Amino acid sequence: MTVPFRAVPGLLAAAVLLIGCSGATDEPDATATTSTVTVVQTREHDRTAFTQGLEVSGGELYEGTGRNGSSYVRVSSLETGEELRRVDLSSNYFGEGLTVAGDSLWQITWRDGVAFERDPVTLQERRQVVYDGEGWGLCDDGDRLIMSDGSSTLTFRDPASFDETGSVQVTVNGEQLSNLNELECSDDGSVYANLWQSDDIARIDPDSGRVTEMIDASPLWNSMTSDERAGADVLNGIAQIPGTDRFLVTGKLWPTMFEVQFTPQP
């Protein structure tokens, strides 16, 4: 989602109350564990970037941004942060999540119903595919694309055609969990989702839809100074550093990108 909003930090408890229209499921989930973030290091982040998608692939950091007239995809060196290449979207489009799937880079749009397939090396557009509904987050688990639309639904798509192949409802402790935003498909098969209007990240089993872990990322916001917070928007953007237990996490218009580990709360 893209409407500017700054939630009260530390909404871990409130996140379990984000209930979908149908309410509780018949069989309660196993209780999700709770974790927080431990900062390994910080990196500079362009505070003009309205971050919608973040992913590490081939030693490079892919970032997609939103807003009409300022949506783009850029690729930077993961090691140095140097921008290597960039492509701007037409002002007609509001960019959202992105993911690298094999030899394709897919980028979705918010309410435009258009997905762009690009060459991940050159960022040259190959084609556009039309889909129904809104686009928020996108990731690739190696076999399928997984897409969010701000509801409690994750939609599965074919990575070659972008056709819908199925869906799952996400639940936490037996209740539907909505506001699923930016997504990251991790090495262990889980999907991590930023929860819009909160400082929380949900770890999801994409096959069952069950949330297995709720992560309180409010320490990141709390660590920034009042000047750094000025003009900053919600937490959004999560990317695993492949082969490690570390993730890059940032937000829309944040001046900092955090390299973190998720650690259990006592």
Side-chain angles (χ1 to χ4, degrees):
M1 182 63 170
T2 49
V3 179
F5 182 91
R6 177 68 247 164
V8 177
L11 292 181
L12 180 61
V16 299
L17 299 178
L18 295 173
I19 302 172
C21 295
S22 63
T25 58
D26 292 336
E27 295 294 332
D29 295 351
T31 302
T33 62
T34 56
S35 299
T36 189
V37 291
T38 298
V39 177
V40 177
Q41 64 174 332
T42 60
R43 307 168 183 232
E44 290 186 4
H45 182 246
D46 180 0
R47 67 178 311 157
T48 68
F50 201 71
T51 304
Q52 304 285 51
L54 203 64
E55 181 160 328
V56 176
S57 179
E60 297 178 333
L61 178 63
Y62 289 76
E63 182 173 15
T65 67
R67 291 182 166 170
N68 293 92
S70 58
S71 294
Y72 58 80
V73 179
R74 80 167 147 214
V75 183
S76 303
S77 166
L78 183 62
E79 183 177 349
T80 67
E82 177 188 3
E83 183 176 304
L84 304 175
R85 51 199 183 276
R86 167 175 167 159
V87 62
D88 296 318
L89 273 67
S90 161
S91 60
N92 297 328
Y93 296 107
F94 197 125
E96 285 281 347
L98 54 70
T99 192
V100 177
D103 64 352
S104 294
L105 170 67
W106 285 102
Q107 178 190 25
I108 55 177
T109 53
W110 180 25
R111 291 177 169 171
D112 306 301
V114 174
F116 295 91
E117 183 188 11
R118 301 183 182 279
D119 183 318
V121 177
T122 65
L123 301 184
Q124 181 177 354
E125 182 183 319
R126 291 174 177 164
R127 59 174 168 154
Q128 299 179 15
V129 177
V130 175
Y131 59 85
D132 293 329
E134 295 186 3
W136 288 37
L138 189 69
C139 70
D140 171 57
D141 73 356
D143 297 316
R144 60 192 173 181
L145 301 178
I146 304 176
M147 180 173 163
S148 64
D149 62 5
S151 69
S152 60
T153 301
L154 291 179
T155 300
F156 307 129
R157 295 186 177 276
D158 183 275
S161 66
F162 210 75
D163 290 341
E164 184 175 340
T165 60
S167 64
V168 68
Q169 291 296 310
V170 174
T171 59
V172 57
N173 301 334
E175 305 289 350
Q176 289 188 19
L177 181 65
S178 60
N179 284 4
L180 303 176
N181 201 353
E182 217 272 294
L183 304 178
E184 172 68 3
C185 292
S186 69
D187 292 346
D188 68 359
S190 300
V191 173
Y192 289 83
N194 285 131
L195 302 181
W196 183 60
Q197 295 188 346
S198 87
D199 292 303
D200 297 323
I201 298 168
R203 181 185 183 188
I204 304 163
D205 176 348
D207 293 321
S208 68
R210 291 185 175 184
V211 173
T212 59
E213 181 181 13
M214 290 293 297
I215 302 157
D216 176 15
S218 62
L220 305 182
W221 175 262
N222 295 336
S223 72
M224 293 192 290
T225 66
S226 57
D227 286 343
E228 290 172 329
R229 295 178 188 174
D233 208 280
V234 295
L235 179 81
N236 205 46
I238 176 171
Q240 184 178 22
I241 300 176
T244 76
D245 62 351
R246 302 190 305 277
F247 292 77
L248 298 178
V249 178
T250 190
K252 304 172 192 287
L253 310 177
W254 282 26
T256 305
M257 182 177 295
F258 297 88
E259 183 177 327
V260 303
Q261 293 173 311
F262 302 139
T263 54
Q265 289 184 322

